[in-house]
Amino acid sequence: MKTGLKAFRRYVPADLVRLLIHTGEDARLGGQKKELTVLFSDIAGFTSIAERMTPEELMLQLSEYFDEITKILTQYRGTVDKYIGDGVMALFGLKGGGGEAACNSAIRAALDIGVELKRINRYIREHLEQEFRIGIGIDYGPVVVGNIGSKLRRQFTALGDVVNVASRLETNAKRQGQTVLISQAVRDLADADAFEFGAELALDIRGKEEVQPAYTVRWA
């Protein structure tokens, strides 16, 4: 059983595994509303990068990249929701400490990922003459978090407009050559003494009728 649980937690959030064991609840369909910070990270131009690598090289480098950024996300109490191709979706506030604490943790994780990426790219350039460039988007607000899917197969995830906005911020970050873009909601809650925010950017986010403000961020 111990071996099985160790393997199981590699496929679903460890916090969910602990919760199900503690409460004895079945992983039934449905969810509950929470205020969470959602982070999306994705590699720019991944298709063209993949074309210039063998499948073995691609798997090796992508696995190392995921391993390192997952360590950082976990260090800042983030929960990896899923890996989507070359992208990652993570939730902050699921373990408690929502609001300001979750926003600060997500930003710190994003900035540390940017630093770690430089180390990873040094190795990639040396051996494969390639490099990864990423975009990260962060938003905060209400989501429904729980199990979705069918009776035979389900997935633990978060749903809501916040997820969509974080994903769009990540896309815009890559387009504008930025590493991290945060929403107004995150900017309002984040620690102004710990971070330095760029000028407001007006983004036309698909699915939104009004232009959305966004900000770059770095260590103060």
Side-chain angles (χ1 to χ4, degrees), residues 26-86:
D26 184 21
R28 61 176 61 91
L29 294 175
Q32 55 183 309
K33 191 173 182 179
K34 289 180 176 290
E35 299 274 332
L36 297 179
T37 303
V38 180
L39 179 150
F40 266 93
S41 174
D42 192 71
I43 299 174
F46 185 75
T47 300
S48 61
I49 292 174
E51 289 175 349
R52 298 193 295 271
M53 284 183 172
T54 67
E56 292 80 9
E57 291 171 337
L58 185 63
M59 179 65 73
L60 177 64
Q61 296 309 319
L62 194 58
S63 295
E64 180 180 351
Y65 165 74
F66 280 147
D67 186 50
E68 295 304 323
I69 69 172
T70 299
K71 289 178 184 176
I72 294 172
L73 293 169
T74 302
Q75 175 188 343
Y76 287 104
R77 296 176 60 82
T79 298
V80 174
D81 179 285
K82 62 173 70 70
Y83 301 103
I84 314 164
D86 58 299

Side-chain angles (χ1 to χ4, degrees), residues 110-129:
L111 296 178
D112 276 6
I113 287 172
V115 173
E116 179 61 25
L117 186 65
K118 294 179 181 179
R119 185 194 67 79
I120 295 174
N121 277 335
R122 284 198 296 269
Y123 176 87
I124 295 176
R125 284 194 299 269
E126 180 181 349
H127 292 82
L128 303 173
E129 298 182 355

